[in-house]
């Protein structure tokens, strides 16, 4: 049994019940929720980094799910987040050209 617990997706308790166990859960307060979302983002990024080519898209989707949850916690919906991303891309572009900076002369 985990003593500190971890943030899980909303349907996980139902899935555990459907498998015949009774989960021990509670709802985090706003401060703990944001902390745990940040931890979850690190966890999901680590899982993506370790994933093979077949599993990488699924792990990347998990990263995106946590990013959307963090954005919502900051009062930003997915559409607003996309507008912020587009504005930044207009200002500095994206990563499509695979440019690697090694310093200045």
């Amino acid at each position: 049994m985990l003593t500190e617990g971890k943030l899980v997706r909303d349907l996980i308790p139902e899935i555990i019940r459907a498998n015949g166990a009774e989960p021990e859960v509670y709802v985090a307060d706003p401060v703990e929720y944001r902390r745990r979302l940040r931890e979850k983002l690190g966890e999901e990024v680590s899982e993506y980094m370790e994933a093979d080519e077949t599993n990488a898209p699924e792990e990347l989707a998990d990263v995106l799910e946590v990013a959307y949850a963090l954005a919502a916690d900051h009062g930003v919906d997915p559409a607003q987040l996309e507008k912020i991303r587009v504005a930044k891309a207009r200002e500095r572009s994206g990563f499509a050209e695979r440019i690697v900076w090694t310093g200045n002369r």
Side-chain angles (χ1 to χ4, degrees):
M1 180 69 202
L2 297 173
T3 56
E4 195 172 310
K6 71 182 230 176
L7 188 65
V8 296
R9 289 174 179 261
D10 298 341
L11 291 180
I12 296 301
E14 287 181 34
I15 293 168
I16 292 170
R17 285 185 193 99
N19 287 321
E22 185 58 36
E24 294 182 15
V25 299
Y26 68 92
V27 175
D29 66 41
V31 171
E32 179 185 6
Y33 177 60
R34 184 170 291 175
R35 177 181 61 82
R36 288 189 180 268
L37 276 173
R38 287 173 176 253
E39 291 169 359
K40 181 60 92 173
L41 182 60
E43 175 187 324
E44 297 298 350
V45 167
S46 292
E47 289 176 8
Y48 168 76
M49 297 296 289
E50 295 173 10
D52 60 23
E53 289 299 312
T54 302
N55 295 317
E58 184 175 327
E59 297 302 337
L60 197 53
D62 289 343
V63 170
L64 193 55
E65 188 68 36
V66 177
Y68 285 158
L70 276 163
D73 193 53
H74 286 286
V76 176
D77 66 29
Q80 290 170 305
L81 188 60
E82 179 62 9
K83 285 180 185 176
I84 294 167
R85 187 201 66 75
V86 166
K88 254 188 135 160
R90 281 190 189 125
E91 180 182 320
R92 296 182 176 216
S93 190
F95 298 94
E97 294 184 23
R98 298 182 263 172
I99 297 169
V100 177
W101 178 55
T102 60
N104 297 334
R105 292 184 202 175

